[in-house]
Every structure is written in structure tokens, then in C-alpha cells.
Amino acid sequence: MRNILVLQRHSPFSSSNGREALDMALALAAVEYSVSILFCADAVFQLLPIVEHADFKLKIYPRSFKLFNLYDIEQVYVCQQSLSERGISLSQLSISVTALNKDEIQHVLSSQHQIISS
């Protein structure tokens, strides 16, 4: 089984990259790849609980992160530095993730067969 890491870098507010990366991760996991996901930079905002607002129509795809267990996506990571730079704590996130420092991220990256950056 091939290890594939989906590296998310984009805010949920700036483009459709987050939704497309989620769809790709679920599709890869459905066909027997070992998928891991790493949220870094502004992608950490995808992990915050989404509040619906009448004036701002954001497609609420982060709710689908709860499907990770169903698709056996168990390695979900977040960059600790990205959280700190944005004033976000692990307790604020909507799903359970493992926070990694730079060295731990390098180790995870080196253990992958393929890295898909979005």
C-alpha cells in the first residue's frame, strides 16, 4: 500500500483548494491508499468550527472531516507553528489532530511515497 500525504496550505475562504483536497483525500482512501493529511499555513483555519452566517455563503465542507474515520484516514496532522502564528490552540479545533513541530513534519514527509500539495 502506498503512503500518500495531502498537504493543505490554503484558507477555506480564499479558494476551493481545501474542498478539492478533501475530495481527493477521500477518493484516494476509498481505493486503498494509506492517506495522511497535514494542515499548515492558512489551512489551519479549515479546522476551526464553522459558523454559518447569512451574509457570507461558505460551503461548509469542513464538516466532512468527520468522515476521515470512515475512510480510515487516521493520520491527520497540523503544524504547531502555523497554529501558534495564528493564535489558535488545539482545543479550538473541530476535529482531533496531532500537532507536529518542524522536525516531526520532516519525518512524516520523508515517510511518504507521494506528497500532494494543495
Side-chain angles (χ1 to χ4, degrees):
M1 186 178 301
R2 294 187 56 83
N3 296 327
I4 298 178
L5 176 82
V6 177
L7 178 59
Q8 294 242 34
R9 297 177 188 260
H10 296 279
S11 163
F13 311 110
S14 62
S15 69
S16 63
N17 289 3
R19 176 64 203 198
E20 291 167 3
L22 171 65
D23 290 344
M24 179 177 29
L26 295 176
L28 289 168
V31 292
E32 303 300 319
Y33 286 100
S34 176
V35 177
S36 302
I37 302 175
L38 171 60
F39 293 88
C40 61
D42 285 340
V44 299
F45 291 117
Q46 295 180 38
L47 297 170
L48 292 173
I50 301 293
V51 177
E52 292 187 51
H53 194 277
D55 296 332
F56 185 69
K57 298 294 184 190
L58 175 67
K59 182 135 180 149
I60 309 200
Y61 69 88
R63 288 184 182 159
S64 299
F65 293 161
K66 294 180 180 169
L67 293 173
F68 289 160
N69 286 336
L70 181 64
Y71 284 81
D72 294 325
I73 300 174
E74 298 170 354
Q75 292 107 5
V76 181
Y77 306 110
V78 66
C79 173
Q80 181 62 54
Q81 181 178 344
S82 296
L83 287 177
S84 297
E85 289 172 353
R86 289 155 182 81
I88 301 171
S89 69
L90 278 174
S91 64
Q92 292 175 276
L93 304 182
S94 62
I95 62 170
S96 178
V97 297
T98 302
L100 302 177
N101 63 35
K102 285 186 177 188
D103 292 334
E104 293 167 323
I105 289 172
Q106 279 306 116
H107 176 71
V108 167
L109 293 175
S110 68
S111 67
Q112 304 301 312
H113 291 108
Q114 186 171 357
I115 299 169
I116 301 170
S117 183
S118 69

